[in-house]
Amino acid sequence: METQQQKNAGLEKIKDMVDDIRIAMMTTQDEQGNLVSRPMACMQMDADGTLWFFTKKSSPKVAQVEQHDDKVNLSFADAGDSDFVSISGSAQELDDRAKIDELWSDMAKPWFPNGKDDPELTLLKVHTELAEYWDSNDSRLVRLFEMARAAVTGDTYKEGENVKVTN
């Protein structure tokens, strides 16, 4: 995955975390109003905080994005390091062959066996509107010690850094 230095300095930490995690759960709303999520590999986070994904034109998520005001949520999680990112934004299906060429890698081939010229291949572009992250900054052992300390003392567990960023 390619990440670019962010024009919005507040998104720099988000970029670093997304780059490390790479797989997001993308949540959309289905025809009955249910929230539905699926794993998606992020291909790029560009300098404007826009995240790029490959998908199929016939995928239900493309229709769901169009039917529900383009709103999506992306959740990235690395439970082992206690790093979590939530991104709310607007999504758009975009058939941009130049951008597909730029982002194409062999990692996408299992989903698109006909390659980057597959007529079903399209892009989902998600513009970040609000992002929030949780970063423990500590090892698992330190986190366990802090949980035990909080349980014994009756104090609140100190989870680490939690920041909201608007774009």
Side-chain angles (χ1 to χ4, degrees), residues 90-104:
S90 54
Q92 173 187 8
E93 185 262 334
L94 191 64
D95 189 7
D96 180 337
R97 291 292 140 183
K99 189 70 174 179
I100 289 171
D101 285 344
E102 174 191 336
L103 298 177
W104 182 258

Side-chain angles (χ1 to χ4, degrees), residues 24-35:
M25 290 299 290
M26 178 182 285
T27 303
T28 57
Q29 192 174 11
D30 72 10
E31 298 74 28
Q32 290 77 37
N34 300 305
L35 297 176

Side-chain angles (χ1 to χ4, degrees), residues 114-133:
N114 295 325
K116 63 184 176 182
D117 296 320
D118 188 322
E120 268 290 293
L121 176 61
T122 192
L123 295 163
L124 270 182
K125 171 184 175 181
V126 178
H127 174 71
T128 300
E129 295 170 2
L130 173 67
E132 185 171 9
Y133 70 85

Side-chain angles (χ1 to χ4, degrees), residues 8-166:
N8 176 337
L11 288 177
E12 221 18 69
K13 175 75 173 188
I14 302 288
K15 174 203 68 129
D16 292 340
M17 294 175 80
V18 165
D19 191 35
D20 288 344
I21 300 169
R22 194 167 171 268
I23 303 296
M25 290 299 290
M26 178 182 285
T27 303
T28 57
Q29 192 174 11
D30 72 10
E31 298 74 28
Q32 290 77 37
N34 300 305
L35 297 176
V36 291
S37 302
R38 79 282 293 151
M40 299 283 291
C42 185
M43 303 309 294
Q44 180 186 67
M45 184 172 180
D46 69 21
D48 293 320
T50 298
L51 296 102
W52 295 87
F53 300 87
F54 287 139
T55 193
K56 292 183 178 180
K57 291 178 183 180
S58 60
S59 168
K61 72 181 136 310
V62 172
Q64 291 165 358
V65 162
E66 291 172 358
Q67 292 171 358
H68 295 284
D69 299 325
D70 305 333
K71 297 297 182 190
V72 299
N73 180 268
L74 302 170
S75 298
F76 295 84
D78 182 347
D81 283 339
S82 285
D83 291 339
F84 307 93
V85 178
S86 176
I87 297 174
S88 298
S90 54
Q92 173 187 8
E93 185 262 334
L94 191 64
D95 189 7
D96 180 337
R97 291 292 140 183
K99 189 70 174 179
I100 289 171
D101 285 344
E102 174 191 336
L103 298 177
W104 182 258
S105 80
D106 286 337
M107 291 179 55
K109 196 150 182 136
W111 290 271
F112 302 97
N114 295 325
K116 63 184 176 182
D117 296 320
D118 188 322
E120 268 290 293
L121 176 61
T122 192
L123 295 163
L124 270 182
K125 171 184 175 181
V126 178
H127 174 71
T128 300
E129 295 170 2
L130 173 67
E132 185 171 9
Y133 70 85
W134 296 261
D135 182 5
S136 73
N137 295 321
D138 291 320
S139 71
R140 181 175 283 164
L141 186 59
V142 171
R143 291 190 311 269
L144 288 172
F145 177 77
E146 174 59 23
M147 282 185 241
R149 183 205 60 78
V152 169
T153 64
D155 196 7
T156 301
Y157 172 64
K158 294 175 180 60
E159 298 183 59
E161 188 176 23
N162 173 226
V163 177
K164 288 184 181 179
V165 179
T166 55

